[in-house]
Amino acid sequence: MSPVSHSISPWVVTNRPPATPAYGLLRFASTLHCAEPIDEIWVELNFGGVTQRFAATDIATRVGESAWELAVLANSHLVPNGVVNLSVTTGAATGLSAEMPGLELLVSNEGALADSVRGDLVAHGSPVLIAGHVDSAMYPFDHGQSVAWFNKPDAIAAAADVPLSVEPAADPETAIQHLIRWGFTILHETVPTETVTAFNNAVEAALLSGRLLHRPGSSERIHDAHRLPEGREIWLFPPVLDFLKRWFRDDACACQTLLYVNGSQQDAHQDTIHLTPYPAGYMCGVWVALEDVRPDSGELFVYPGSHRTPRLLAGPLGLAKVTTDYSSYVVFGDEINRLLNAGGFERLVYRPKAGQILVWHENLVHGGGIRVNPEITRRSIVSHYYARGGVGFYDSRGEAAYLETLD
């Protein structure tokens, strides 16, 4: 039997911007070209001295008639900092092996948080290389030594008497104490009116041109509005980044933006199952009003104090990884409602002025109200940020998070 003829393109990191340091959970990808079945093909990766061989079928997703994307995840905390090579060898059961184009990376997991996470991953036996989906069970959520300072008993006790408020905090420390106590806070600073106006105008132009996609009148979210220069102004807004650095005690990395023309009407939920940080707590949502929010528009709501309820993750709920059809996640919604009822949490409806900034803890239960009057818009943008020294992934999808440092 003759060898299976195939080729593999150079490997790249797909969840970090090009030519930037590598940190956290990485996604390596390449394209396999083969006109024959790939059942007998194997791919061996060596990353920082750790070697693992994968059957091509275990890491491949078909993207064309004779093309497959190959993808492997890597916990870069578990290799040394500095220049690290990813070397690749491929072959088939019926033929010789051959070295393929690899990759040179500058790995940079530095600082107190990264050091603590590295120790936890070693103690837990977390894998260096991962085929297929990442899962919360790969990280020691229940017994790791890395605990966010704001989740520790002394910090919680110190904020116990902070009164609930929907007014902007007087200063960063007041904002931090409110975030510890209630799971959300409203920053003293606001995005300038001219920045909001410029962004709204840029969005309208991008919708007209087709650069951004949205069905008029729908509650659909719009992805990637931060790729507009005017959107990046909001992503990079210094008071937000400064606050998150104080909160994380680590640099903040941006993950994504979700832009809404109208209210989301999203059911009450925790972000944790979708935007998952290890250690717990090291992700925040930042919600900016792009207009004065009016009643009956499908306003954002939060359940103050609900960030102290148990974190819900896919595996313990018996949920499989999904990418498009979340119908099975009714189990998640039912459990959220049970937690809210058991804790006696009350819904707080948020109606800010344009430019106001609300930051929430990753485990706060929140959502979007019913659009009682569908003619009323509720323009807003939410950005999600992770701490650079931790691990970021999407537990519901089993994917590594896209992260970008904001300089």
Side-chain angles (χ1 to χ4, degrees), residues 82-240:
V83 176
V84 176
N85 290 306
L86 173 72
S87 59
V88 182
T89 304
T90 184
T94 55
L96 299 175
S97 62
E99 291 189 12
M100 304 300 290
L103 182 64
E104 182 178 273
L105 300 171
L106 177 61
V107 174
S108 179
N109 292 295
E110 298 175 336
L113 177 58
D115 289 344
S116 179
V117 168
R118 181 179 300 107
D120 278 357
L121 269 56
V122 170
H124 186 63
S126 299
V128 176
L129 296 170
I130 303 167
H133 295 125
V134 64
D135 186 77
S136 61
M138 296 175 180
Y139 304 97
F141 281 94
D142 295 332
H143 56 274
Q145 298 302 303
S146 303
V147 178
W149 72 270
F150 45 80
N151 284 339
K152 292 182 178 180
D154 57 343
I156 295 171
D161 295 330
V162 173
L164 179 64
S165 174
V166 291
E167 298 300 319
D171 52 60
E173 184 55 34
T174 303
I176 281 174
Q177 292 303 308
H178 197 275
L179 182 51
I180 293 172
R181 173 63 182 89
W182 297 107
F184 75 97
T185 196
I186 300 166
L187 299 189
H188 175 75
E189 300 83 357
T190 59
V191 178
T193 299
E194 57 270 24
T195 302
V196 171
T197 300
F199 179 52
N200 283 334
N201 291 340
V203 168
E204 288 300 316
L207 291 173
L208 286 172
S209 70
R211 180 175 179 181
L212 296 179
L213 302 177
H214 178 256
R215 287 187 300 117
S218 75
S219 292
E220 291 175 347
R221 59 186 62 175
I222 301 171
H223 293 275
D224 293 336
H226 58 278
R227 302 302 179 196
L228 302 174
E230 297 82 359
R232 196 167 180 84
E233 289 270 332
I234 295 176
W235 232 28
L236 288 167
F237 192 51
V240 168

